[in-house]
Amino acid sequence: GPSCLNWVGNLVQVQSVANLGVIFMLFVLGMKFSIHRMLRVWRVSVLGGLLMWSLCVAFGWAVGLYYDLALEGMVIGICLSLSSAAVVLRCIDYEDQDTTYHLMVVGICLVQDVVLGLLLPLLSSLESPRAVVLTQMAYILLRFLILLLACIGLVLLLSLISLGTGHRQLFVGISLCITMAKLSEYADLSMELGAFLGGLVVSYDDKRGQALLVLMDPVKEFFAAMYFAMVGVHVYPYFFLAQWHTMLLCSVIVVALKYILGMAVMWGLFRFDWATATVISVGIAQVSEFSFVLASNSKNSGLLSREAYYLILGVTAMCFPATPILWRMTNGHRGKGDHCLPHVGHVQPPPNPLRWLMHRMRHPWERAKLS
């Protein structure tokens, strides 16, 4: 990059290609998201994920307020509050992918990814008066609901046609991903949110979604490598060498804070046993790779200083290797809670998801029944 060997001269073209990595990563994450499985843990995923995200943002805002940088502190809190579903999926063993508490971790991360997609178009108006921000939030939610209705119509359309096989199926999958991303952009929402919803559309049919997932995974890996390489292009080695101790300290604080908040929500609010709450809390005690996208957009909007942007890059990079280590360490405690956390395959899905959902929403604070 320009800060080191300066071999890459035109960053705009490289960044345009790298942005496809974010789109394809979220599209594949959407395909790995099983609606039938997630219905069993929807309360923990949605309520728990939003509550932990809100607490992280509030903590960042409080620290920023202490230093008279409330808005920048809130933006930093938003960036660091996101957790990576991709990192968790790589840590989970194949035989454990259907356990309920692993679905909870992935569900929480995916809920936060949806929040990311809704926040990106809101960044430019954060400095506006409160009435303007609330109006913008209402418009974003309305456009999001319209986009969801379009996804339902697309599910019905895809159920009537065949995607083909082989290269034809791959071409249809890539076209669907790009189309949903552009449709979301035309609705003044983020392209990342549209790509994720496109993956959800495909995942509705498990058999078709698994076949396309096998074909899309190499494409996603290639563009994801381009994306992470582009992140490295923006890194200034001299800044990292000069501030490595500050970044290390901030990384430890972020991991510890997210673990404590996770334990407070899972053990204190949802009343899970200590071992289960520990596994879930460790799974979300890291920073998402999509924080780069949010931090970059915030810096371009003038909401983040250059130093804060580099700090977020460093903390996110340091959290990546810590997550697999902590995950393996806590997996030794799984045996205590596995008897009350059955595999999803052992439980029949509800015959009427809508009726079941309305019945469970009558008592939103009741502990989720896992068996």
Side-chain angles (χ1 to χ4, degrees):
S3 60
C4 196
L5 298 178
N6 200 22
W7 288 353
V8 179
N10 195 337
L11 293 180
V12 177
Q13 294 181 355
V14 178
Q15 189 165 5
S16 299
V17 177
N19 287 339
L20 291 174
V22 182
I23 294 174
F24 284 124
M25 280 192 289
L26 281 167
F27 182 70
V28 171
L29 281 177
M31 286 195 292
K32 293 180 178 180
F33 183 95
S34 174
I35 298 177
H36 302 293
R37 294 174 180 176
M38 291 300 174
L39 275 176
R40 299 187 61 248
V41 296
W42 72 271
R43 183 181 305 149
V44 177
S45 299
V46 177
L47 297 181
L50 292 178
L51 182 57
M52 285 182 282
W53 175 83
S54 302
L55 291 174
C56 286
V57 175
F59 181 83
W61 174 82
V63 174
L65 186 63
Y66 178 79
Y67 291 101
D68 200 22
L69 296 169
L71 182 59
E72 187 171 13
M74 184 180 68
V75 174
I76 294 175
I78 292 174
C79 294
L80 298 180
S81 65
L82 303 174
S83 301
S84 174
V87 171
V88 174
L89 287 172
R90 289 192 179 274
C91 293
I92 297 176
D93 296 329
Y94 179 78
E95 62 272 11
D96 293 330
Q97 289 183 356
D98 285 341
T99 51
T100 309
Y101 57 102
H102 285 158
L103 289 177
M104 291 177 187
V105 179
V106 176
I108 289 172
C109 296
L110 292 178
V111 167
Q112 293 178 353
D113 289 339
V114 174
V115 172
L116 165 69
L118 296 176
L119 280 175
L120 285 175
L122 189 63
L123 288 176
S124 58
S125 60
L126 283 181
E127 292 182 312
S128 304
R130 183 178 302 177
V132 176
V133 176
L134 293 177
T135 303
Q136 183 69 10
M137 289 177 62
Y139 281 131
I140 289 174
L141 291 176
L142 179 61
R143 293 193 294 265
F144 177 62
L145 292 177
I146 295 175
L147 191 62
L148 285 179
L149 293 177
C151 290
I152 294 174
L154 191 57
V155 167
L156 297 176
L157 177 63
L158 290 179
S159 64
L160 300 176
I161 62 176
S162 173
L163 299 183
T165 58
H167 296 292
R168 179 184 174 185
Q169 189 176 17
L170 178 61
F171 175 77
V172 173
I174 294 176
S175 301
L176 177 62
C177 175
I178 301 299
T179 300
M180 287 298 300
K182 295 301 292 183
L183 183 63
S184 180
E185 185 184 29
Y186 290 145
D188 288 332
L189 298 172
S190 65
M191 298 179 67
E192 293 81 5
L193 179 62
F196 177 75
L197 293 177
L200 284 182
V201 169
V202 177
S203 71
Y204 188 80
D205 186 339
D206 289 338
K207 184 178 180 180
R208 180 183 294 180
Q210 289 299 320
L212 182 58
L213 180 61
V214 174
L215 298 173
M216 285 293 302
D217 207 50
V219 178
K220 183 265 295 184
E221 293 290 343
F222 173 77
F223 284 99
M226 292 286 293
Y227 168 69
F228 285 109
M230 188 62 201
V231 172
V233 168
H234 285 87
V235 170
Y236 278 77
Y238 301 109
F239 181 84
F240 274 70
L241 292 175
Q243 302 294 332
W244 68 269
H245 51 283
T246 303
M247 294 182 182
L248 181 60
L249 177 61
C250 291
S251 301
V252 173
I253 293 175
V254 168
V255 172
L257 175 66
K258 298 184 80 169
Y259 172 78
I260 293 172
L261 292 178
M263 290 296 293
V265 173
M266 296 301 160
W267 182 70
L269 180 61
F270 289 102
R271 301 296 181 184
F272 291 119
D273 61 84
W274 187 267
T276 304
T278 298
V279 174
I280 297 175
S281 301
V282 168
I284 62 173
Q286 30 89 5
V287 183
S288 173
E289 64 274 11
F290 301 130
S291 297
F292 296 133
V293 180
L294 192 57
S296 178
N297 282 270
S298 301
K299 185 172 75 73
N300 295 334
S301 301
L303 300 175
L304 277 182
S305 62
R306 186 178 64 174
E307 291 77 12
Y309 173 68
Y310 291 144
L311 180 65
I312 293 174
L313 291 184
V315 170
T316 306
M318 288 184 175
C319 287
F320 280 159
T323 303
I325 297 174
L326 295 174
W327 183 268
R328 295 302 175 186
M329 290 172 60
T330 55
N331 263 357
H333 300 286
R334 288 185 312 161
K336 180 180 179 181
D338 274 353
H339 65 278
C340 63
L341 295 169
H343 286 262
V344 174
H346 299 161
V347 180
Q348 295 296 326
N352 191 331
L354 182 59
R355 183 182 301 172
W356 177 84
L357 202 60
M358 295 300 294
H359 172 72
R360 300 296 293 273
M361 287 179 67
R362 295 176 186 174
H363 306 284
W365 301 109
E366 180 187 357
R367 179 185 171 184
K369 296 180 182 179
L370 301 178
S371 60

